Amino acid sequence: MSIYSKLQIEPADPIIKVMVRSAQDSSPDKVDVTIGVYKDEDGSSLTFPVVKKAKEILHTNDPGHSYTTMQGIPEFNKGARDVVFGEYGKNDNIVTIQTISGTGAIYMATNFLTEAGWKDYYVGNPAWSNYYQTIDFAGGKAHTYTHYDEKAQKIDFDSLLEALNTAPANSIFLLQTCCHNPTGADFSKDQWKTIGELMKKNKLIPILDTAYQGFATGDKYEDAWPVRYFYELNIDFLVCQSFSKNLGLYGERTGALHVVVQDRNLLPNVTSTLLALFRKICSFAPAWGARIAAEVFKSEELTKEWDQNVADVTKRLRTIREKVHQKFVELKTPGDWSPVLVQTGLFWYSGLTEDHIEQLAVHHHVYATTYGRINVSGLNDANIDYFCRAVDTVVRGSAN
Amino acid sequence: MYRPVQIRLAARPRAGVAFSTSAQLQKWSDIPLAPPDKILGISEAYVKDTNTKKINLGVGAYRDNDGKPIIFPSVKKAEEILLAKEVEKEYTGITGNKNFQNIVKNFIFNNSNKDANGAKLIEANRIVTSQTISGTGSLRVIADFLNRFYTNKKILVPKPTWANHVAVFKDAGLAPEFYAYYETSKNDLDFDNLKQSLQSQDEGSIILLHACCHNPTGMDLTAQQWDEVLEIIKSKKFFPLVDMAYQGFASGDPFKDIGLIRRLNELVANDELKSYALCQSFAKNMGLYGERTGSISIVTESSDASKAIESQLKKLIRPIYSSPPIHGSKIVETIFNDENSLLPEWLSELDAVVSRLNTVRSKLYENLDKTNYNWDHLLKQRGMFVYTGLSAEQVIRLRNEFSVYATEDGRFSISGINDKNVEYLADAINQVVKA
């Protein structure tokens, strides 16, 4: 008998199936709005101009490829902290470790909390599916509530409140700060304040996941407001940060985990536990992306340019949303299409059904995720009209 | 939440929620302050030392004759090409870029068209390769994989071995156990005991083999000795897990250093062995340390098994880090895709690096006092290290009295030695050995 006889063939992530179908479709009309990567007006992936500059600097003043430190590249860690904590970044009670981008940060956060003895997680659905796999991997237990009411097309805040009020102390809540993946539906400041107060009162542990900082308002500082607000609550919490989107460093795997510690006596315990965990999973985080980011953080000029790059991207996303909405109004497409305007970031959680999505693929060369998440940046002046008409057709088809 | 006593007292026990306060208190007390990694601790102490003659023999990273880290010129050229044309920054798949996977397969298993058995395995789709977070990442992925799917948790590792081997395997749920490898009192391989300790094991364990430049001893098996060990592996039905961190550093030629892989391929092709796995990285031989560029390959029993294994690797890696970093792997791809210039340039640069290490090794040997201590083992050892046989006390004296920093197992990373400090170092060693 084979030593691998216990193995099953695992089904691929559904998004992969869509990508494969899309790749096989050579129609000039093809519109692909599946994966969560920013596309520019020409439909190609964008290298941020500021990243290009940072790379040239690195090429000239080549730091080489030596081992970094296990905690990461110090200038990167400092800069990353400042980006997400603002004026509080310089405070001495935040432990930062460079990670393998956002997934790696969540992996480290969950495994760290396992070491600390905490295992109960609360996740609002729909959620990024990898949350569940990571929690499971860390030996945690996931409990769910509803983040988004599909029928009403808005946040189901009551469901979260109930979870916050009934979860045992030291339960962990995994919350996204902005541009919620996949729904694009974010909390208001008032809602954040309610969440924060309950977290503090009920002694809950927040993990704030920030993968799209800047893509909600176009202003990174404004988008990080919930992080600063939580910091002001003087509670222990964790922040998972990725530069995949807002610096376009996707494949370089650049991110960080920040752990806010109220009892400063425990800072060495937190740091050494993180390092010991990291040593046993990969020893060091990859240098290149972090060096690029650090060049941007260090230079006032490049930082300004980065701010502008992010603002430009966000402005374009906003414009597309308005155009899509306008088009549906013109076409008198049945249904309420206002959520496309309300939602933020890369994704529009369209409410299109699996059947709609299938018809879009089969009859119109339009590819989106089966649960109706649409990457807004995949749309542009050349295809918005075609896309909206296709959606209009399938929606009317199913209405009959 | 990091204040266990207070918080756990404040915890509100609820019906239906299992909350064992005492168990958690014990858990917390188990993890007070994790000890710093020994090797990196030495680097930190070295940095703080103000003695101008200080020497760092701790970290296993290459330094040139001026004590500086190098960028392989072929790597720099590859980066120039990437800088000029790179537009694509998107994610690779979970297991990395196909082109990178194929390069690894062809370079190592097919020995660049010199290994017919390996070529056959590739052709039959019996090798699954995934890009990983360098060597540590590949070890971690295969350890988690074996823990999930392999029938046996016991993994036999040589004594001594890289300390992180044991830590990674344990953390992934495997049970490491030593087999005899090296006899420090004789400063030599302990081959008889090696065989005996393997023979005394139950069938079916996993066995870790260092492909070349054994870390930390630098003492490798001869082809003849490998054959004897492989016989035991076959009869005991062990699962071989090969770690190859220093390919090229034994002979200067990466193709010559994979004799073990070629033998394993032959055994699999002849159906004498069903399966094995290989962890490798380009950290040392291409100097890509910080870029974290490596891979895990599993040689499987059939193409059907390959499909299942690949899907399970994806499922395993996704929650850990989603996809690997691309800068280093693109450098590898760029070099290998240019067979006429960049690839041969890299090979000759690697050869030059290894020949410097060998020169330094001989110079150290020449300068050592052999009247009271037999240093012949230095000349038998290969790779980045000399395993001196010095005691922990002697290593500490070297540190305190001479600002010579090395790990207390007496492993010296010889790339920290150069023309300017070799005599100082030899003199320091001679003094601590004499007294």
Side-chain angles (χ1 to χ4, degrees), chain B residues 64-93:
Chain B
D64 67 12
N65 198 40
D66 297 319
K68 297 253 163 39
I70 64 159
I71 303 170
F72 280 74
S74 56
V75 167
K76 184 77 183 172
K77 283 186 191 167
E79 288 187 288
E80 261 158 40
I81 293 169
L82 290 171
L83 184 70
K85 74 166 195 197
E86 185 181 34
V87 283
E88 203 67 41
K89 307 211 62 62
E90 289 189 24
Y91 303 116
T92 68

Side-chain angles (χ1 to χ4, degrees), chain A residues 2 4 7 10 39 52 55 59 62 65 70 103 116 170 236 251 253 259 266 279 282-284 287, chain B residues 1-2 7-8 37 40 76 83 86 89-90 136 149 275 290-292 301 311 318 321-323 326:
Chain A
S2 165
Y4 300 120
L7 295 186
E10 290 288 326
K39 301 283 183 185
K52 182 89 186 153
K55 280 179 164 181
H59 191 70
D62 197 336
H65 305 286
M70 237 182 263
T103 306
N170 298 310
D236 292 323
R253 317 302 295 129
V259 184
L266 289 170
R279 177 64 162 155
C282 64
S283 293
F284 300 89
Chain B
M1 70 180 152
Y2 319 114
I7 284 168
R8 274 151 202 159
D37 188 87
L40 295 142
K76 184 77 183 172
L83 184 70
E86 185 181 34
K89 307 211 62 62
E90 289 189 24
T136 308
F149 300 110
S275 176
E291 306 306 339
R292 318 308 291 135
E301 290 158 66
S311 71
R318 175 70 162 144
Y321 58 87
S322 286
S323 65
I326 56 177

Side-chain angles (χ1 to χ4, degrees), chain B residues 62 249 353-362 383-384 414-415:
Chain B
Y62 182 75
F249 278 81
V353 158
V354 176
S355 101
R356 187 186 96 74
L357 291 174
N358 288 336
T359 308
V360 169
R361 189 188 287 279
S362 323
M384 202 92 102
I414 49 178
S415 82

Side-chain angles (χ1 to χ4, degrees), chain A residues 173-208:
Chain A
F173 278 73
L174 197 38
L175 300 171
Q176 298 182 26
T177 54
C178 66
C179 308
H180 184 269
N181 180 4
T183 70
D186 296 338
F187 301 119
S188 67
K189 283 190 182 176
D190 282 343
Q191 287 174 325
W192 274 119
K193 284 179 182 164
T194 308
I195 296 167
E197 281 157 18
L198 282 172
M199 287 266 184
K200 185 167 183 165
K201 178 170 144 253
N202 296 340
K203 298 187 163 53
L204 302 168
I205 305 168
I207 298 179
L208 301 182

Side-chain angles (χ1 to χ4, degrees), chain A residues 183-324:
Chain A
T183 70
D186 296 338
F187 301 119
S188 67
K189 283 190 182 176
D190 282 343
Q191 287 174 325
W192 274 119
K193 284 179 182 164
T194 308
I195 296 167
E197 281 157 18
L198 282 172
M199 287 266 184
K200 185 167 183 165
K201 178 170 144 253
N202 296 340
K203 298 187 163 53
L204 302 168
I205 305 168
I207 298 179
L208 301 182
D209 181 14
T210 176
Y212 298 90
Q213 190 188 344
F215 280 18
T217 62
D219 177 350
K220 296 193 299 299
Y221 184 79
E222 178 60 21
D223 279 6
W225 179 87
V227 176
R228 295 195 302 280
Y229 170 71
F230 270 63
Y231 189 87
E232 288 161 4
L233 290 173
N234 296 318
I235 58 173
D236 292 323
F237 71 104
L238 297 85
V239 178
C240 298
Q241 180 182 29
S242 158
F243 292 98
S244 291
K245 275 76 180 188
N246 63 11
L247 261 177
L249 290 175
Y250 308 98
E252 308 300 349
R253 317 302 295 129
T254 309
L257 169 68
H258 310 279
V259 184
V260 178
V261 184
Q262 297 305 326
D263 181 348
R264 284 171 167 76
N265 293 324
L266 289 170
L267 284 166
N269 303 48
V270 169
T271 307
S272 64
T273 300
L274 289 171
L275 292 184
L277 280 172
F278 207 58
R279 177 64 162 155
K280 288 179 283 197
I281 197 78
C282 64
S283 293
F284 300 89
W288 179 244
R291 289 198 199 283
I292 292 172
E295 285 302 321
V296 177
F297 302 154
K298 277 192 300 198
S299 151
E300 210 174 303
E301 194 192 323
L302 290 184
T303 296
K304 257 192 205 150
E305 191 176 338
W306 180 33
D307 294 347
Q308 192 55 49
N309 290 167
V310 169
D312 291 345
V313 161
T314 310
K315 194 173 162 207
R316 188 174 153 260
L317 293 171
R318 189 80 225 147
T319 308
I320 297 166
R321 287 175 182 279
E322 282 160 10
K323 285 181 179 166
V324 168

Side-chain angles (χ1 to χ4, degrees), chain B residues 108-120 261-262 265:
Chain B
I108 296 168
F109 293 96
N110 184 18
N111 203 352
S112 294
N113 297 319
K114 290 191 281 291
D115 185 346
N117 292 313
K120 229 161 65 184
I261 309 292
R262 299 192 63 176
N265 290 344

